[in-house]
Amino acid sequence: MTEASNANSNEALGRTELPGIDRAAAAALWEDYRAAFPGAFAAAPEYTAEFFGDSVELADELLALVTYGPKRATAALVVEFAEEGELLPRVGSHWIACDGRGKPAVVIRSTELRIGTFDSVDAAFAYDEGEDDRSLESWRREHWRYWERTRAAVGREFTPEHEVVFERFSVVWPPELAD
């Protein structure tokens, strides 16, 4: 599927394509965190700036679950990191989560990582991901739909054999939102 057809697919679903990330604001947020926690920075001096989800609406919905709700886990396909030329996260690594307009909102630090297949997710992880009703059944249903959609958008198929990065995290910055 081309970017245009992906955008049309998102529009058909009532979703708006994500904009670029405000990299200058992300760097400023990172510098504030770095100054406050030089030890954490020394242990993992790099960060990425990312969205949760594949649309403005989903990015905002999931970020709200992180900043004001129970979401302390996320899952991503290993192949997506490779396709985007990114390294897999590691325990202690940081990323900046952005809202649906590309504005950086929080610094997240990875606390636990596991790679497994789609079927290896357990109820505790589904609960920690904090989405929908937090059940294993809804996790499987909604993530299947999501990965089926996002893989189709790049002309690929999602299968349960895809490796998944299961990541738990804590919010570490800004102080008013930190765990």
Side-chain angles (χ1 to χ4, degrees):
M1 208 180 260
T2 66
E3 281 186 33
S5 62
N6 184 32
N8 290 338
S9 173
N10 266 343
E11 286 175 23
L13 294 171
R15 299 175 191 264
T16 309
E17 190 172 348
L18 289 165
I21 291 173
D22 183 340
R23 300 285 174 192
L29 185 68
W30 179 248
E31 286 304 312
D32 290 344
Y33 171 72
R34 185 182 70 81
F37 295 98
F41 170 79
E46 68 285 338
Y47 71 92
T48 61
E50 305 286 337
F51 295 99
F52 283 101
D54 66 338
S55 68
V56 167
E57 296 79 11
L58 190 54
D60 285 342
E61 175 186 333
L62 296 176
L63 182 60
L65 289 173
V66 171
T67 56
Y68 303 107
K71 185 173 180 59
R72 290 298 180 270
T74 193
L77 298 178
V78 170
V79 69
E80 292 172 332
F81 287 94
E83 289 170 351
E84 294 170 13
E86 293 182 17
L87 297 174
L88 291 176
R90 60 185 173 82
V91 171
S93 64
H94 297 89
W95 59 290
I96 296 173
C98 299
D99 68 15
R101 286 150 303 290
K103 179 183 175 199
V106 294
V107 178
I108 291 171
R109 189 168 191 197
S110 298
T111 59
E112 183 182 318
L113 296 160
R114 180 179 72 82
I115 295 177
T117 61
F118 179 83
D119 292 332
S120 74
V121 68
D122 61 21
F125 186 86
Y127 186 82
D128 290 346
E129 197 156 352
E131 298 172 22
D132 199 31
D133 68 4
R134 301 177 80 178
S135 71
L136 180 58
E137 294 76 23
S138 71
W139 188 97
R140 286 186 171 149
R141 180 185 63 248
E142 296 306 317
H143 283 75
W144 185 275
R145 287 179 184 164
Y146 177 78
W147 285 323
E148 200 170 49
R149 179 178 74 244
T150 59
R151 296 309 295 154
V154 294
R156 306 274 198 286
E157 183 179 341
F158 172 69
T159 70
E161 291 77 34
H162 272 97
E163 288 187 315
V164 177
V165 178
F166 298 100
E167 177 181 6
R168 285 187 168 89
F169 58 81
S170 59
V171 176
V172 295
W173 194 260
E176 64 273 14
L177 296 174
D179 295 340

Coordinates of all heavy atoms in Angstrom, one line a residue, residues 20-33 47 49 96-99 101-107 173:
G20 N 4.9 15.6 11.5 CA 6.2 15.4 12.0 C 6.3 15.7 13.4 O 5.4 16.3 14.0
I21 N 7.4 15.3 14.0 CA 7.7 15.5 15.5 C 8.4 16.9 15.6 O 9.3 17.1 14.8 CB 8.4 14.4 16.1 CG1 7.5 13.1 16.1 CG2 9.0 14.7 17.5 CD1 8.2 11.9 16.6
D22 N 8.1 17.6 16.6 CA 8.8 18.9 16.9 C 10.1 18.5 17.6 O 10.2 18.3 18.8 CB 8.0 19.8 17.8 CG 8.6 21.1 18.1 OD1 9.8 21.3 17.9 OD2 7.9 22.0 18.5
R23 N 11.2 18.3 16.8 CA 12.5 17.8 17.2 C 13.1 18.8 18.2 O 13.8 18.4 19.1 CB 13.4 17.5 16.1 CG 12.9 16.4 15.2 CD 13.0 15.1 15.7 NE 12.3 14.1 14.9 CZ 12.1 12.8 15.2 NH1 12.4 12.4 16.4 NH2 11.5 12.0 14.4
A24 N 13.0 20.1 17.9 CA 13.6 21.1 18.8 C 12.9 21.1 20.2 O 13.6 21.1 21.2 CB 13.4 22.5 18.2
A25 N 11.6 20.9 20.3 CA 10.9 20.8 21.6 C 11.3 19.5 22.3 O 11.5 19.4 23.5 CB 9.4 20.9 21.4
A26 N 11.5 18.4 21.5 CA 11.9 17.1 22.1 C 13.3 17.3 22.7 O 13.6 16.8 23.8 CB 11.9 16.0 21.0
A27 N 14.2 18.0 22.0 CA 15.6 18.2 22.5 C 15.6 19.0 23.8 O 16.3 18.8 24.7 CB 16.5 18.8 21.4
A28 N 14.7 20.0 23.8 CA 14.6 20.9 25.0 C 14.0 20.1 26.2 O 14.5 20.2 27.3 CB 13.7 22.1 24.7
L29 N 13.0 19.2 26.0 CA 12.5 18.4 27.0 C 13.6 17.4 27.5 O 13.7 17.2 28.7 CB 11.3 17.6 26.5 CG 10.5 16.7 27.5 CD1 9.8 17.6 28.6 CD2 9.5 15.9 26.8
W30 N 14.3 16.9 26.6 CA 15.4 16.0 27.0 C 16.5 16.7 27.8 O 17.0 16.1 28.8 CB 16.0 15.3 25.7 CG 17.2 14.4 26.0 CD1 18.5 14.6 25.7 CD2 17.1 13.1 26.7 NE1 19.2 13.6 26.1 CE2 18.4 12.6 26.7 CE3 16.1 12.4 27.2 CZ2 18.7 11.4 27.3 CZ3 16.4 11.2 27.8 CH2 17.7 10.7 27.8
E31 N 16.8 17.9 27.4 CA 17.8 18.6 28.2 C 17.4 18.9 29.6 O 18.2 18.9 30.5 CB 18.2 19.9 27.4 CG 19.1 19.7 26.2 CD 20.4 19.0 26.5 OE1 21.1 19.3 27.5 OE2 20.7 18.0 25.8
D32 N 16.1 19.2 29.7 CA 15.6 19.5 31.1 C 15.7 18.2 31.9 O 16.1 18.2 33.1 CB 14.1 19.9 31.0 CG 13.9 21.3 30.5 OD1 14.9 22.1 30.4 OD2 12.8 21.6 30.1
Y33 N 15.3 17.1 31.4 CA 15.4 15.8 32.1 C 16.9 15.5 32.4 O 17.3 15.1 33.5 CB 14.8 14.7 31.2 CG 15.1 13.3 31.8 CD1 14.5 12.8 32.9 CD2 16.0 12.4 31.1 CE1 14.7 11.6 33.4 CE2 16.2 11.2 31.6 CZ 15.6 10.7 32.8 OH 15.8 9.5 33.3
Y47 N 18.1 9.0 23.2 CA 16.7 8.9 23.2 C 16.1 8.9 21.8 O 16.8 9.3 20.9 CB 16.1 10.1 24.0 CG 16.1 11.4 23.3 CD1 15.1 11.8 22.5 CD2 17.2 12.2 23.4 CE1 15.1 13.0 21.8 CE2 17.3 13.4 22.8 CZ 16.2 13.8 22.0 OH 16.3 15.0 21.3
A49 N 12.3 10.0 19.8 CA 11.0 10.7 20.0 C 10.0 10.0 19.1 O 10.3 9.8 17.9 CB 11.1 12.2 19.6
I96 N 10.9 9.7 24.1 CA 10.0 10.9 24.3 C 8.7 10.6 23.6 O 8.7 10.4 22.4 CB 10.6 12.2 23.9 CG1 11.8 12.5 24.8 CG2 9.6 13.3 24.0 CD1 12.6 13.7 24.3
A97 N 7.6 10.5 24.3 CA 6.3 10.3 23.7 C 5.6 11.6 23.3 O 5.6 12.6 24.1 CB 5.4 9.5 24.7
C98 N 5.1 11.7 22.1 CA 4.6 12.9 21.6 C 3.1 12.8 21.4 O 2.5 11.7 21.2 CB 5.2 13.2 20.2 SG 7.0 13.5 20.3
D99 N 2.4 14.0 21.5 CA 1.0 14.0 21.3 C 0.7 13.9 19.8 O 1.6 13.9 18.9 CB 0.3 15.2 21.9 CG 0.6 16.5 21.3 OD1 1.2 16.6 20.2 OD2 0.4 17.5 22.0
R101 N -0.1 16.0 17.7 CA 0.4 17.1 16.8 C 1.9 17.1 16.7 O 2.5 18.1 16.2 CB -0.1 18.4 17.4 CG -1.6 18.6 17.1 CD -2.4 19.4 18.1 NE -2.4 18.9 19.5 CZ -2.9 17.8 19.9 NH1 -3.6 17.0 19.1 NH2 -2.9 17.4 21.2
G102 N 2.6 16.1 17.4 CA 4.0 16.1 17.3 C 4.7 16.8 18.4 O 6.0 16.9 18.4
K103 N 4.0 17.3 19.4 CA 4.5 18.0 20.5 C 5.0 17.0 21.6 O 4.2 16.2 22.1 CB 3.5 18.9 21.1 CG 4.0 19.7 22.3 CD 3.0 20.6 23.0 CE 3.5 21.2 24.2 NZ 2.5 21.7 25.1
P104 N 6.2 17.0 22.0 CA 6.7 16.1 23.1 C 6.0 16.3 24.4 O 5.8 17.5 24.8 CB 8.2 16.5 23.2 CG 8.5 17.3 22.0 CD 7.3 17.9 21.5
A105 N 5.6 15.2 25.1 CA 4.9 15.4 26.3 C 5.6 14.8 27.5 O 5.6 15.4 28.6 CB 3.5 14.7 26.1
V106 N 6.1 13.6 27.4 CA 6.8 12.9 28.5 C 8.0 12.2 28.1 O 8.1 11.7 26.9 CB 5.8 11.9 29.2 CG1 4.6 12.6 29.9 CG2 5.3 10.9 28.3
V107 N 8.9 12.0 29.0 CA 10.1 11.1 28.8 C 9.8 9.8 29.5 O 9.4 9.8 30.7 CB 11.4 11.7 29.4 CG1 12.6 10.8 29.2 CG2 11.7 13.1 28.7
W173 N 9.7 12.0 33.3 CA 9.7 13.5 33.2 C 8.5 13.9 32.4 O 8.2 13.2 31.4 CB 11.0 13.9 32.5 CG 11.3 15.3 32.6 CD1 11.1 16.3 31.7 CD2 11.9 16.0 33.7 NE1 11.5 17.5 32.1 CE2 11.9 17.4 33.4 CE3 12.3 15.6 35.0 CZ2 12.4 18.3 34.3 CZ3 12.8 16.6 35.9 CH2 12.8 17.9 35.5

